[in-house]
Every structure is written in structure tokens, then in C-alpha cells.
Amino acid sequence: MKKTKQLANQFREIILNGTWIANTNYKDQLENLSWEAATSKFESLNTISVLAQHVHYYINGIKNVFNGGNLEIRDKYSFDFPGIKSQNEWKEFLIKFWEDAENLAELIEQLPDKKLNQSFVDDKYGTYQRNIDGIIEHSYYHLGQIVLIKKIILKNH
């Protein structure tokens, strides 16, 4: 199997359908969560919706580069999102999140393996491999936060 196919599958596992590493994924954790729970604040922690939007922000930014665009995302804006104010807005966001994640997975899959060692936009951002690994690792990091915050929020409701 091509290395890029393996990486695409690992990315799909964390966002859309896997249980191998964390025994869950974003879709499993967020799909049936109410917008009230997703936007509930617990002490100084980020809300579940903000964490999901944060991960989506990076998925979109990397996807844009894979589609031939510029790297337009900036860390300083990666938590700045308008609030989700209804179940419909939450569902619309989730639909977009799943679609963009699958689109990025497809783009990863289509990369030739030799591209993995090439610079991603600029040498300072590392290689394609490093950025794909980074989005997977970053997603797992925030999934752990979401799982814990969800347990706290649902216990208190």
C-alpha cells in the first residue's frame, strides 16, 4: 500500500471513522451532541465547539495548500470563531467538518509518495509528511480534550 494511502486512512480514523488508537473519533464524539453541550463553558477550558472549529481551521488551511493555494492560516486566529447559536448551525458546521476532512484525506491519498519528503510551502514549515503527521497528532491531542470536556459537561447537565 502506498504511504500516502496509509496516511489518508490514519487521518480518516481520527476524524471520521476509526477506533484503533483512541477507541473513538471526532464524528463519534460530536455527531449526536447538542449545540448546547458543544457550546457549554466549563471553567477556563475551551468549549467543545471551539476545539472542533480549531481542528477544522487547520484541516482547511492544509487542504487549501494541497489544492494549490497559499498557506493562509495563522496560529493567532486559530481560536477566533463566531459562536454557534443553534442546533442547525452546529449540524451545518459538522457537515462541513466531515466533508472537508474527507476531501483532505482524498488529497493526501492522491499525493505521490515522493512528494512526502518535499517542502510544504516553505522549508520552515517542514515537509508534506511532517504536516500530515502534525494534523493527525494535533487532532488526537484535541480529541482527548473533547472527550474529557464532554464527560464533564454531560455529567453537569
Side-chain angles (χ1 to χ4, degrees), residues 24-151:
T24 190
N25 58 68
Y26 278 79
K27 194 168 192 178
D28 184 51
Q29 290 297 310
L30 303 178
E31 190 79 349
N32 295 310
L33 190 66
S34 72
W35 75 277
E36 293 96 345
T39 59
S40 290
K41 190 85 174 127
F42 180 75
E43 296 183 3
S44 64
L45 302 178
N46 285 308
T47 65
I48 292 169
S49 67
V50 166
L51 291 170
Q53 289 171 299
H54 172 76
V55 170
H56 179 253
Y57 178 80
Y58 282 100
I59 288 170
N60 262 353
I62 290 173
K63 186 178 75 142
N64 190 52
V65 173
F66 275 63
N67 278 322
N70 295 323
L71 183 62
E72 298 170 350
I73 54 175
R74 299 292 178 263
D75 291 344
K76 66 181 178 178
Y77 301 123
S78 68
F79 283 99
D80 296 343
F81 308 104
I84 305 264
K85 294 183 178 31
S86 70
Q87 189 65 32
N88 192 49
E89 285 182 17
W90 177 239
K91 283 188 183 277
E92 286 176 9
F93 163 71
L94 291 177
I95 289 167
K96 182 92 173 103
F97 190 6
W98 313 147
E99 286 174 356
D100 289 337
E102 179 54 35
N103 288 341
L104 178 56
E106 290 169 2
L107 290 165
I108 293 169
E109 221 168 41
Q110 293 165 13
L111 274 182
D113 281 351
K114 64 182 179 183
K115 185 92 170 169
L116 291 173
N117 292 322
Q118 294 178 8
S119 290
F120 186 82
V121 179
D122 187 308
D123 288 343
K124 69 182 177 183
Y125 298 119
T127 62
Y128 275 81
Q129 173 84 48
R130 182 176 167 102
N131 279 271
I132 295 166
D133 289 342
I135 194 73
I136 292 168
E137 292 166 8
H138 183 240
S139 296
Y140 275 114
Y141 170 76
H142 288 302
L143 179 62
Q145 293 175 322
I146 287 170
V147 168
L148 291 172
I149 293 168
K150 183 178 174 182
K151 286 180 182 187

